[in-house]
Amino acid sequence: MPARWNGWTTASTAANPRRDLHHHQLVRGSGCEVWDIYGRCHLDGVAGAGNTPFGHAHPRITEAVTAHLRQLAHVDETLAAQQPAEELIDALADLTGLDDFVFVNSGSEAIEAAIRIAMDYWSHRGQPQRDTIIAFARGYHGCTALAAALSGLPILRTEWATAPRVRHVELTSQHYPDHPGAAAALASEFAAAITTAGPQRVAAVIVEPFLNVGGGIVLPEGFLNELRIVADSFGTLMIVDEVFTGFGRSGSAAFAVNAMHTPPDILAISKGMTNGVVPMGAMCLRRSIRDQFGDAPLRYGHTTSGHGLACAAALATIDLLRTDGLAHAAATAHWFATNFRQSLRASGIVDLRTYGAVGVAECDNVERAVAIAAAARQGVVSSGGLIVGCKQNALMLTPALNATPQQLATMAAQLKLAIANVEIYGRSVYA
């Protein structure tokens, strides 16, 4: 029987992957709820893995995409422009404070384009020796060959892929958000890494405002501003990866970089951009970077870059963000800040932390986290379960920004019940 090999699963995960996935097959969604083939309703505690900030099947986005589909689905951007793409450029400029935009199809591609452009930028400035990137060891920037090479996470390591020189910055207890001077201390680690690599060889520093795949790590407040100062002092580029944190997830603005005194040189965005309707991402940059290219071409592009339907969905998503989306994001972030920790204190949970509209419950080991996520998904016999994220030993709730307080409370209650069930009945029951 032919089978799909899902990303991030082993070849031997199941003898019949299609049969095993059948139990988790989802057929319909609305807001924060999804239904499986058995008619059971589940709460989506990860907003379609961060892709649907305004929930499933939002009518305004569906209508926008449907209307554009009736007119013209897509034209290769090298042949002609499309009105939704032109409008989206203006909307993104307003949201990000940056000048130029390269449309791609995913977050990995946005990072791929960012690194290529950063390298070419220095080459066009007569400094081709700048071949080094400084990044967090626990950072994650995608799974294409170049993007994966930026990370120090073991699951992404390959011996065959060519990559730029990368120096990693490790996190220590000194960098915990509640540690005095944590932001400056962490930025100084990047300064030390640049010095060690040789400032004349460093093309860029790249960071996420929140380390999602790296374990749900919350960075010190003000860190991005401190790193901007470091990057400027060494004359290197600063790239911020907001594939996960963009479009309201930070809880206070459309993007975490909106709180910076000076925007980064390059910003990568994707998740949430079209509310999960059509794959899309973008690499946003300062005009001064593009100006260095002169008559040299941008050596990057895809047939479906700036897809018409994706642009229509993105414009509708941004419209939602501007009208009441940011208010919803702030309310959800407030709920997490005031309720999440007290809701989930339990045995086996060693830390509870929040970042904007994100809640992280760190377990004492990976096995427990995996078991709890499975128990939450299984739910109880009479009702559906809860879809919860699991990054290493960290459980994560990243619900739709417009989830109601009751839905948020129910998610926390279901997760706490799963934690208790694993503690009582043993991890092997749900693993």
Side-chain angles (χ1 to χ4, degrees), residues 21 104 140 155 237 255 268 281 295 313 423:
L21 285 170
V104 294
Y140 175 85
I155 195 171
L237 298 178
F255 298 96
D295 294 328
E423 181 66 23

Side-chain angles (χ1 to χ4, degrees), residues 15 22 56 94 104 137 176 218 222 229 273 285 287 311 319 343 347:
H22 184 76
H56 298 280
D94 183 57
V104 294
Y176 289 174
V218 180
I229 293 171
M273 190 169 180
L285 65 154
R287 176 62 50 81
C311 291
D319 186 54
S343 303
S347 175

Side-chain angles (χ1 to χ4, degrees), residues 194-256:
I194 293 171
T195 300
T196 301
Q200 74 285 355
R201 294 198 65 174
V202 176
V205 297
I206 182 169
V207 295
E208 305 157 89
F210 168 83
L211 306 189
N212 173 30
V213 177
I217 306 299
V218 180
L219 300 175
E221 185 176 355
F223 166 66
L224 292 180
N225 280 323
E226 294 287 347
L227 186 59
R228 173 81 269 184
I229 293 171
V230 167
D232 287 346
S233 69
F234 283 99
T236 193
L237 298 178
M238 179 179 180
I239 304 171
V240 177
D241 178 348
E242 287 220 53
V243 169
F244 176 77
T245 58
F247 296 95
R249 184 59 58 187
S250 64
S252 58
F255 298 96

Side-chain angles (χ1 to χ4, degrees), residues 241-326:
D241 178 348
E242 287 220 53
V243 169
F244 176 77
T245 58
F247 296 95
R249 184 59 58 187
S250 64
S252 58
F255 298 96
V257 298
N258 294 148
M260 294 179 64
H261 302 317
T262 304
D265 301 293
I266 299 175
L267 173 68
I269 59 177
S270 181
K271 286 184 190 297
M273 190 169 180
T274 70
N275 206 55
V277 174
V278 184
M280 190 179 198
M283 193 272 295
C284 323
L285 65 154
R286 287 190 295 106
R287 176 62 50 81
S288 58
I289 295 177
R290 177 178 174 176
D291 287 345
Q292 287 295 326
F293 281 66
D295 294 328
L298 167 63
R299 299 184 293 178
Y300 198 80
H302 297 271
T303 304
T304 54
S305 294
H307 196 284
L309 296 182
C311 291
L315 285 169
T317 302
I318 291 172
D319 186 54
L320 286 172
L321 193 68
R322 284 171 166 164
T323 51
D324 54 10
L326 289 178

Side-chain angles (χ1 to χ4, degrees), residues 70-95:
R70 292 194 183 103
Q71 298 174 9
L72 178 68
H74 178 59
V75 174
D76 188 321
E77 65 181 6
T78 63
L79 300 177
Q82 293 182 93
Q83 185 177 355
E86 299 305 302
E87 292 179 8
L88 182 56
I89 289 169
D90 293 334
L92 288 176
D94 183 57
L95 284 179

